[in-house]
Amino acid sequence: MKKGMCITYEVDGNLYINITNRCTNNCDFCIRNNGDGAYGSDSLWLEREPTVEEILGAVFERDLDKYGEIVFCGYGEPTERLDDARACALRIKERTKTPIRINTNGHASLIKGCDAAPLFADAFDTVSISLNTPSAEKYVEKCHPVFKKDGFYGMLDFAKNVNKYVQNTVLSVVRETLTETELAECQKIADEIGVTLRVRTYIGKEDA
Ligand code: SF4
């Protein structure tokens, strides 16, 4: 595995920020299983986690106004460093009106051990949460969460809570990994929580 310090990379007109390789899941379909990078980036495996100042240094080298979105993503789960991600997002917001999204597995509250949803207020315009599957059993089977079934239930609680604090809360699923019935069940879950279901195609598009 090649390691480096690739903190920012571009995907489809968006700027992605890579702040950690840690994750509380180990999904079968994780983009990290396919190589070291994403969309032609350098290796996204980090030699070490960059500091807040290093992250901001890499971000501010870019012309932020030209991007559609600025996305806290991975190679890992960005809420493993939620306080740092929030600090960076608030500083970025002082420089640009480009909306900020965070792609997450929804385990922020489980990681923090308390309701982490208020920490998303003002910092992130969109929170995209990987739902992946409509059942806790399947979630454990596909995502191998360290929290076991609580990983699924905690993710749904987080989605409900964070929806009070951010403009757009999205649950995402990968089309190819679900049956029609499962897809309908995922839609029902999103409707019950009152958030959008985003059905994306595989190739790890913007997940990790
Ligand atoms: S897809 Fe996302 S949540 Fe799953 S193992 Fe990869 S980084 Fe973690």
Side-chain angles (χ1 to χ4, degrees):
M1 174 199 309
K2 214 168 107 190
K3 290 190 176 182
M5 284 303 282
C6 182
I7 302 169
T8 59
Y9 57 103
E10 296 179 337
V11 182
D12 293 341
N14 296 329
L15 182 67
Y16 279 63
I17 308 177
N18 174 32
I19 64 171
T20 186
N21 293 152
R22 284 180 280 155
C23 188
T24 46
N25 277 352
N26 184 15
C27 304
D28 292 337
F29 48 82
C30 182
I31 193 172
R32 303 185 301 181
N33 299 333
N34 299 339
D36 290 340
Y39 318 103
S41 74
D42 291 337
S43 173
L44 295 172
W45 292 111
L46 294 163
E47 282 167 16
R48 59 176 173 78
E49 290 188 344
T51 64
V52 166
E53 290 310 318
E54 285 172 327
I55 296 165
L56 290 171
V59 169
F60 291 153
E61 277 174 13
R62 306 276 189 160
D63 173 6
L64 300 181
D65 295 335
K66 79 173 189 181
Y67 296 109
E69 281 184 300
I70 297 166
V71 185
F72 286 81
C73 188
Y75 250 32
E77 168 51 40
T79 67
E80 289 271 15
R81 296 183 65 188
L82 180 55
D83 294 332
D84 291 342
R86 176 178 172 79
C88 290
L90 290 173
R91 295 268 297 278
I92 294 167
K93 280 202 168 288
E94 291 170 3
R95 299 255 189 134
T96 183
K97 290 197 175 351
T98 301
I100 301 180
R101 166 161 49 109
I102 185 163
N103 287 354
T104 174
N105 63 15
H107 290 175
S109 298
L110 292 168
I111 292 167
K112 277 223 166 265
C114 62
D115 180 14
L119 293 169
F120 289 73
D122 304 321
F124 305 103
D125 302 281
T126 299
V127 178
S128 180
I129 303 160
S130 300
L131 173 61
N132 294 322
T133 161
S135 80
E137 289 75 17
K138 279 273 170 63
Y139 188 83
V140 169
E141 201 181 299
K142 288 180 172 186
C143 301
H144 312 284
V146 297
F147 302 112
K148 307 297 180 194
K149 285 186 184 175
D150 285 347
F152 181 77
Y153 299 123
M155 173 263 296
L156 291 181
D157 279 345
F158 169 74
K160 269 181 229 157
N161 291 337
V162 83
N163 195 28
K164 297 177 214 153
Y165 296 98
V166 299
Q167 204 179 343
N168 306 305
T169 302
V170 176
L171 289 176
S172 77
V173 293
V174 177
R175 179 66 192 91
E176 292 89 335
T177 64
L178 296 172
T179 64
E180 286 297 330
T181 306
E182 288 172 329
L183 189 58
E185 287 168 358
C186 289
Q187 185 64 63
K188 191 162 171 259
I189 288 171
D191 291 345
E192 281 169 3
I193 294 174
V195 303
T196 304
L197 182 74
R198 182 161 166 268
V199 183
R200 60 190 182 83
T201 50
Y202 187 66
I203 287 298
K205 267 276 189 206
E206 83 202 286
D207 231 27

